[in-house]
Structures are given as C-alpha cells and as structure tokens.
Amino acid sequence: MNEYTQQALDKVKEDPKVTNRCCSIIRSKTIEVLEGFINRYDEFAQAVVQGESMHDMFDTICKEIEKKQGLSDIEVYQRAADFFFPGSKIYCHMDLDLCGSVREHKTERTSLDLSFDDLFG
C-alpha cells in the first residue's frame, strides 16, 4: 500500500453531506467501486487524494443524472472515476446463461480474469 492509498480510502469514506435523494441512492455502491479502484491503482489513489471533494463529485454526477433523467450504474461509476482521473475508462464484462435457472449443477465460469497487479503484485 503506497502513501496515497490509505488517504484516498479515508477520503471516500468521509460522510459527504447528502443534499438530495439522488446522492443517497448512488452513494454506497459508488464508494465501494472507488475503493476497489483505489486499492488496485496507485495513480488513481493519488488522484483522489489530490482531487476535489466527494461532495463535489456526487453533486456533479447527480446533476448529470437529473439532466439525462437517469444513468446506468456503469455510467455513474465511469463519471466518478473520470471526476478524479479524467480520461479514464471503465470496462465491464457480463455473461448470460440462458439455462442457468434449470441446471442441476451450477457451472463455474470457464474464463480466468487476471490483472497485471495479480501477476506481479
């Protein structure tokens, strides 16, 4: 853990003044996602520490939600990451098992997801 990681984790856990219903709805999951990015990417942790407040981030995202009359979860997380680290992108992978509810034995995913950090961390 570098010098910025703990500071960034403390910053995102601070209780921003929730000023509207939108912020209270997206708050906990967005913080959970940001914590994952902070733990995984030192540069992102540094950007969070040196960036604007969580309150400002939530206000910015909620204004976008009101303007567009909604955003998907992934779009909210993308805007949160981009707020602190402009130009960053989030990629998501989803699978659909059309027979999942009737299988006797749940099959495990056959793919393996590894990050560079997993290999050399």
Side-chain angles (χ1 to χ4, degrees):
M1 184 180 300
N2 77 14
E3 64 182 285
Y4 291 108
T5 302
Q6 189 58 52
Q7 292 175 38
L9 290 171
D10 292 343
K11 182 175 181 175
V12 299
K13 289 177 186 174
E14 286 177 5
D15 192 19
K17 292 179 174 48
V18 176
T19 55
N20 61 40
R21 186 169 182 259
C22 171
C23 290
S24 66
I25 291 170
I26 67 170
R27 183 181 180 280
S28 65
K29 287 294 181 185
T30 304
I31 288 172
E32 185 178 314
V33 169
L34 289 175
E35 287 173 340
F37 295 153
I38 288 166
N39 283 316
R40 197 168 186 185
Y41 304 104
D42 294 339
E43 295 85 357
F44 186 76
Q46 181 177 353
V48 169
V49 169
Q50 296 173 344
E52 295 180 54
S53 72
M54 292 295 290
H55 176 76
D56 291 341
M57 181 208 63
F58 282 117
D59 275 353
T60 300
I61 293 171
C62 286
K63 286 177 185 170
E64 274 292 306
I65 290 172
E66 291 170 9
K67 179 180 172 184
K68 295 188 177 210
Q69 297 188 359
L71 292 174
S72 71
D73 291 352
I74 297 299
E75 290 173 311
V76 169
Y77 308 148
Q78 175 61 61
R79 281 168 173 72
D82 194 60
F83 182 84
F84 291 110
F85 205 102
S88 63
K89 295 289 178 205
I90 293 177
Y91 298 97
C92 180
H93 175 84
M94 298 173 83
D95 289 323
L96 174 63
D97 184 349
L98 295 174
C99 300
S101 65
V102 295
R103 290 188 196 280
E104 286 185 30
H105 302 285
K106 299 288 181 188
T107 57
E108 293 294 318
R109 260 179 93 175
T110 57
S111 63
L112 177 63
D113 292 327
L114 290 176
S115 74
F116 189 74
D117 293 334
D118 294 335
L119 296 172
F120 299 102

